[in-house]
Every structure is written in structure tokens, then in C-alpha cells.
Amino acid sequence: MKIRKVIFPVGGLGTRFFPITRAIPKEMLGIIDKPLIHYAFEEAISAGLEEFILVTRHGKNSIEDYCDYMFTHSRYFNIRSGSICYIRQNEPKGLGDAVLCAKNLIGDEPFAVMSADDFIFHDKSCIGEMIKHYNGSNMIATMSVAPNEVSKYGILDVKSETDRLVVAKSVDEKPNIKDAKSTYAIVGRYLLSHEIFNILVDLEPGVGNEIQLTDALLKMIPTHGLTGFKFDGQRFDCGSKEGLLTAILHTANSNKELSNVINNFYRKKR
Ligand code: G1P
């Protein structure tokens, strides 16, 4: 079945960016001249996704204002305005809860989930490449992270792997370094069966007392499998200051005029 719908969970508090995120959603932080949410839309649209569901919350209205602008100026996105909708997550209860908020808008088809603060720099759409490899198994984007970073991520326990795919036999949300079964981490791109809603509805809070999407993926392994997609390109954790700054520098560096600015800056420093 074709994947047409994508959920953007944008209800997080962005605590690592306080105080700016007291007034500006982290998804509206800029990489040069476009906010993170813009890049997520570009990736989704070039993958052929058609319906966009933003799970948002109090204080995040500037995302809607920005989408109003983008969706009425075809030089940015030439798509039907009716294909975007917003649903509220009243409390920040975790990624699994955010996805569950969109249950009635998804219906009974497979769908994508994309975290805008996982910025993936590449000329091919990561979620688009995943859709090409989708075979009905729940799928996540994965990359190998440094062993001392595993406790920031969902980590796969690997059953088998090829150049492109990792088949997981288990998955653990933010394990202790000593308990991690591999260094393959979940990156914020998911292709999911709608049956995940049946699991999320009854899921107990996990790590951080939040409803964890990873815990639902774990429960579904016997019936739906779990495949990691080793994506191309560079990923930046723009939920962190280091990640956002590096993403800005990386993007600037790939632009002739802006890379001159960076080079001049360092030349003057020397
Ligand atoms: C979430 C997921 C985690 C994943 C990470 C990727 O965690 O729960 O499994 O590895 O995104 O960015 P968060 O960063 O929201 O705590």
C-alpha cells in the first residue's frame, strides 16, 4: 500500500534550547534562512508524501503561521492547502503519545513519522529512500553512533544486516552504555503500520516516564518485524546546540558565498 501520510511531532518543549524555546519552537530554529520544519517538509514532499499531520501544542503557533505562508507561496511548496492539518498534544508525554494523537487522521494505512530536529543533509530524501525499500516491516532510519552516545537513542539488537538494511531482533530505548546491544541508533524517520496504534493505546510509560515509540516497536517485532535503514548523507541532532551549530556550518560550507564568509572568519582569527 502506498505511503501518503506523514506525522511531524512538533509538540516537544525543546528544553535543551531554553530560553529561546520559551517563545520560539525548536522546529522554527533556523539553518541560515529556513527553519528546521521547512527542511523536513522538503524531504517529505520530494518523497511523494501528500498529507501532513503536525502534532503541535500550546505556544507553537508560529509553526502554523509559517506553514500558512509556505503553502500559499508556490515557489516554496506547490501542494494543496487542504493536505495539512494540525492536532494538539495537550501534554508532552513522549513521542509514542504524539503519534497516538494522530490515530484518527491516519486510518488503516501505513504512514511515516519524521522528527524535524533530526536534520539530514543529502541531495536524496532519506524518507523517500526508505519508502523505496519499504516491505511492510516497521522501518526506522539507523546510523552507528559513538559507543558513549548510545544512551541518547533507541538502540537496535541486530539479528542480521546487509549493506543497506539491519534486521533487529530487539530494540531498547536509551540503554545504559554497558547494556547496549549495538551502536545502531534510531534516527527520527519511521515507516509504520497503522496497527501500532493498537499497541500505543495500552502502552505504559517507559524511559523518562514518557510513552515511548520504541517500546511499541519492540512489542511489534514478532508480528511486524523491525528493519533499520542505513541512510546516506549526514545527520545532525538539531535538538542540541552542538548539532544545530554544526548543521548551520555544514549547510553554509556547501554554499559558495557563505563558505567564503566562514573562511574569512577563520582567516581573520589566525
Ligand atoms: C527519540 C526516540 C529515540 C531516537 C531519537 C532520535 O528520542 O525516542 O529512540 O533514537 O529520538 O533522535 P528523543 O531524542 O526525542 O529523546
Side-chain angles (χ1 to χ4, degrees), residues 16 26 95 115 117-118 152-155 172-174 185-188 190 210 212-214 235 237:
R16 286 183 283 172
K26 69 175 169 181
L95 184 57
S115 301
D117 55 4
D118 267 330
K152 293 186 189 165
Y153 298 94
I155 296 291
D172 194 5
E173 179 67 12
K174 302 193 172 77
I186 299 178
V187 170
Y190 304 77
E210 293 186 338
Q212 296 292 351
L213 192 58
T214 303
R235 171 261 184 188
D237 172 14

